[in-house]
Amino acid sequence: MHSSLFDLRNKTILCTGANGWLAGGMLEGLASHGARLILLDSNPGVEKTAASLNKKFKVPAAGIAVDMFDRGEYLRTLQGIAKEARVDAVINNAFSFGSSNVETGREGDWESLSDLQWQTAFESGVLWAVQTIKPFLPSMRKKRGGSIINICSMYSLIAPNPKMYQGPWKKYLSQPTYTAVKTGLLGLTRYWASFLAPHGIRANAIAPGAFSKPATAPAFVKKLRDVIPMGRIGKPQDLAGAAVFLASDASSYMTGQCLTVDGGWTVR
């Protein structure tokens, strides 16, 4: 096997939602394999995230804070990056729940969600992905190579089990917009794979399972562990291998696929 199969030293990778919970593990994995990183997030802390990766892994890393809901500003930011850098891979990780999130206690009650909440979810979960890749497609077509990696969810593949989220645990159930949007993003992944393959551009997805945050109640974490075949909750670092694989030449003959990283949740 060629020793440079997973080598990312000659690749520049752009990641949206780079200050998010799941992004950290993927970015560390990519940086450890030598990738040059461009990090986008609405949180100004993304600049510190980039500086930390640069210091730890000695790789070029730039953090750019941008409001992706401001379409004009976001487009100008992407066009500026496209002029200055040859982006080899794009990770569409950004997503916004809008005014309702997993702490409101109203999750799963789709009838109570406003039109604005649905619109916000679809804009952030699908339209942002479209907007993000468009400025980089011309250079990818020209060099006949590129990788699009969409971060979906195991709920792109299955529906939540209501019994898991009864009583005090309802607040941990993602609202139905999440399932709808992440399923749509998976469909878009396959569409892009079909239409961009002739240009040497690949599109794949990663579907994380249960990756609870540190603030999650231990009793609910136990409920999750009990239904996961591997008996533990996922850590952001568990996504590193999938991200490196899809960004590298190791997956050069793979497109339109979804890597499910869920500890076995969806096999039962």
Side-chain angles (χ1 to χ4, degrees):
M1 185 174 293
H2 199 283
S3 61
S4 63
L5 199 59
F6 296 92
D7 188 354
L8 297 175
R9 285 176 294 180
N10 65 337
K11 296 186 184 295
T12 297
I13 300 172
L14 180 145
C15 178
T16 66
N19 242 44
W21 168 247
L22 295 182
M26 292 188 289
L27 294 175
E28 289 209 349
L30 296 168
S32 69
H33 284 73
R36 299 183 293 268
L37 300 173
I38 301 173
L39 313 183
L40 303 182
D41 200 285
S42 61
N43 188 336
V46 71
E47 298 174 6
K48 291 184 178 180
T49 299
S52 176
L53 290 167
N54 174 271
K55 181 178 180 180
K56 183 174 181 179
F57 297 100
K58 311 302 180 187
V59 295
I64 302 172
V66 58
D67 180 3
M68 296 174 69
F69 283 111
D70 185 332
R71 297 185 186 181
E73 178 190 2
Y74 189 49
L75 178 59
R76 288 189 294 272
T77 298
L78 294 172
Q79 290 174 335
I81 294 171
K83 289 180 181 178
E84 298 294 329
R86 187 200 72 176
V87 172
D88 301 286
V90 173
I91 301 176
N92 288 308
N93 179 61
F95 176 76
S96 173
F97 281 102
S99 59
S100 178
N101 58 45
V102 294
E103 300 301 327
T104 65
R106 293 171 54 206
E107 306 313 319
D109 180 11
W110 65 270
E111 294 175 281
S112 71
L113 296 177
S114 68
D115 289 349
L116 180 58
Q117 288 170 301
W118 282 99
Q119 291 164 2
T120 297
F122 275 96
E123 178 172 357
S124 67
V126 176
L127 181 58
W128 282 358
V130 175
Q131 292 173 321
T132 301
I133 71 163
K134 285 173 68 175
F136 307 108
L137 289 178
S139 64
M140 288 182 177
R141 286 191 177 102
K142 185 176 181 179
K143 67 176 184 286
R144 294 196 56 78
S147 177
I148 300 167
I149 305 169
N150 294 326
I151 306 305
C152 295
S153 167
M154 69 176 180
Y155 288 146
S156 304
L157 308 169
I158 61 172
N161 181 349
K163 293 180 180 180
M164 285 290 301
Y165 302 98
Q166 292 177 344
W169 311 127
K170 186 178 180 181
K171 65 181 179 180
Y172 293 120
L173 174 60
S174 297
Q175 61 200 50
T177 50
Y178 184 76
T179 295
V181 167
K182 291 300 185 179
T183 302
L185 185 59
L186 181 56
L188 186 60
T189 302
R190 292 166 176 158
Y191 186 94
W192 282 342
S194 179
F195 282 84
L196 295 176
H199 304 282
I201 302 170
R202 300 178 294 110
N204 293 287
I206 299 174
F211 282 69
S212 62
K213 296 182 179 180
T216 303
F220 185 67
V221 171
K222 183 181 183 305
K223 279 178 66 72
L224 294 173
R225 286 201 308 262
D226 288 345
V227 299
I228 297 173
M230 292 189 70
R232 70 173 179 85
I233 302 299
K235 305 183 297 293
Q237 291 76 13
D238 290 322
L239 298 175
V244 170
F245 173 64
L246 293 178
S248 71
D249 293 339
S251 58
S252 62
Y253 195 55
M254 179 176 174
T255 194
Q257 304 305 307
C258 179
L259 296 181
T260 306
V261 186
D262 66 352
W265 183 302
T266 56
V267 302
R268 292 181 176 172

